[in-house]
Amino acid sequence: VEKEGLPFNKSYIFGTVHVGDASMAKLPNKVISAIKETDEVIVEVDISKFTTFEIQSKTMPFMMLPASKTLKSELKAKNYQVIESYFKQKSIDINLFSTMRPWAVMLIITQMEYQNAGYSENNGIDKKIIAFANKNKIKVGQLETLEQQLSIFSKLSPYNDVMVSETFEQLNDMNTHFESLINSWKNGSLEDLNKYYQEVFTQDEFGKLGEKVMLV
């Protein structure tokens, strides 16, 4: 991106993904060259500023339900049973999550499934860009704070049940809903990525709310 009349004032926009597989362990050479040319790298959230303990301590208050509520009280019986069945198959007691917000529980389940499919945060592009910038002493800025990001999820709570059912639907067909997204990203296929975007954010009321809250 270049501002008219300022040919040397150049910026690069690079869409990233938070998790990746082994083939994404190294940043592409074009990205490395672009970062080396820049004065500052702006990321979504710079998590390198915090230790793992600090991230957990900042995250937990957002993930917990008010004292009067439970995971069971926040969901329809059928959706609670789906979650209970999921954890049972993995020999995990659902009571460990009884005081957590539904979005937080679904985030944990999603992360577990990503790991099972061979995807890791350590191969996520965001982390690699931040690490590369820090190593090369390039200033790192951020668009949002961790707290701002976490507060977004609570705004989706009126659609807890839809969130649970849609997440499980996507996880049950990981190849269609996630692997195809990653492959489209790897191939730089804007057409496929736009199609995915339309399916996720424009098809129903929950998707449109998600688009408004998370993006717009």
Side-chain angles (χ1 to χ4, degrees):
V1 180
E2 293 178 85
K3 188 171 183 180
E4 192 175 352
L6 293 172
F8 304 110
N9 189 12
K10 198 181 290 182
S11 297
Y12 299 93
I13 299 174
F14 183 44
T16 62
V17 282
H18 299 317
V19 295
D21 59 25
S23 71
M24 296 157 66
K26 186 179 181 298
L27 288 173
N29 289 332
K30 282 185 178 180
V31 175
I32 290 172
S33 298
I35 297 173
K36 283 182 175 178
E37 287 179 18
T38 60
D39 300 314
E40 184 174 7
V41 174
I42 310 292
V43 295
E44 206 171 318
V45 173
D46 183 6
I47 55 173
S48 70
K49 294 181 185 297
F50 311 109
T51 64
T52 302
F53 176 76
E54 286 173 332
I55 291 173
Q56 289 174 344
S57 62
K58 286 175 176 288
T59 302
M60 286 309 292
F62 289 92
M63 298 175 78
M64 307 311 288
L65 285 163
S68 60
K69 296 181 178 181
T70 65
L71 179 64
K72 195 170 188 176
S73 72
E74 294 301 284
L75 295 170
K76 290 179 180 177
K78 67 175 183 178
N79 282 325
Y80 181 82
Q81 286 164 8
V82 169
I83 296 175
E84 186 175 36
S85 174
Y86 173 87
F87 283 128
K88 204 170 192 177
Q89 289 172 7
K90 298 187 178 296
S91 301
I92 299 173
D93 186 355
I94 194 172
N95 289 318
L96 294 170
F97 309 94
S98 62
T99 57
M100 295 180 76
R101 295 182 183 274
W103 68 259
V105 178
M106 296 316 299
L107 189 61
I108 290 168
I109 289 174
T110 301
Q111 288 174 331
M112 289 170 63
E113 289 303 305
Y114 286 169
Q115 287 174 350
N116 289 341
Y119 296 97
S120 164
E121 281 187 17
N122 291 329
N123 286 327
I125 302 302
D126 309 66
K127 267 193 175 182
K128 297 205 167 294
I129 285 178
I130 293 168
F132 184 85
N134 285 334
K135 183 181 177 182
N136 288 272
K137 296 182 170 50
I138 297 169
K139 185 180 177 183
V140 177
Q142 57 182 21
L143 294 174
E144 301 169 352
T145 64
L146 185 60
E147 290 85 355
Q148 282 175 315
Q149 278 213 334
L150 291 165
S151 66
I152 285 173
F153 290 103
S154 296
K155 295 176 183 176
L156 302 175
S157 58
Y159 293 87
N160 281 335
D161 284 293
V162 180
M163 184 193 307
V164 171
S165 58
E166 285 194 4
T167 301
F168 272 109
E169 182 183 324
Q170 291 173 8
L171 292 177
N172 287 334
D173 192 359
M174 186 78 98
N175 184 55
T176 300
H177 290 280
F178 188 70
E179 289 183 11
S180 62
L181 172 65
I182 292 290
N183 287 331
S184 297
W185 181 88
K186 287 179 184 178
N187 297 327
S189 175
L190 291 177
E191 186 179 344
D192 288 345
L193 289 169
N194 187 55
K195 182 182 175 185
Y196 187 91
Y197 182 97
Q198 298 298 325
E199 288 174 356
V200 172
F201 290 115
T202 65
Q203 299 298 314
D204 54 33
E205 196 175 345
F206 173 62
K208 288 172 184 175
L209 176 65
E211 181 185 42
K212 182 180 178 183
V213 170
M214 290 191 280
L215 300 171
V216 178

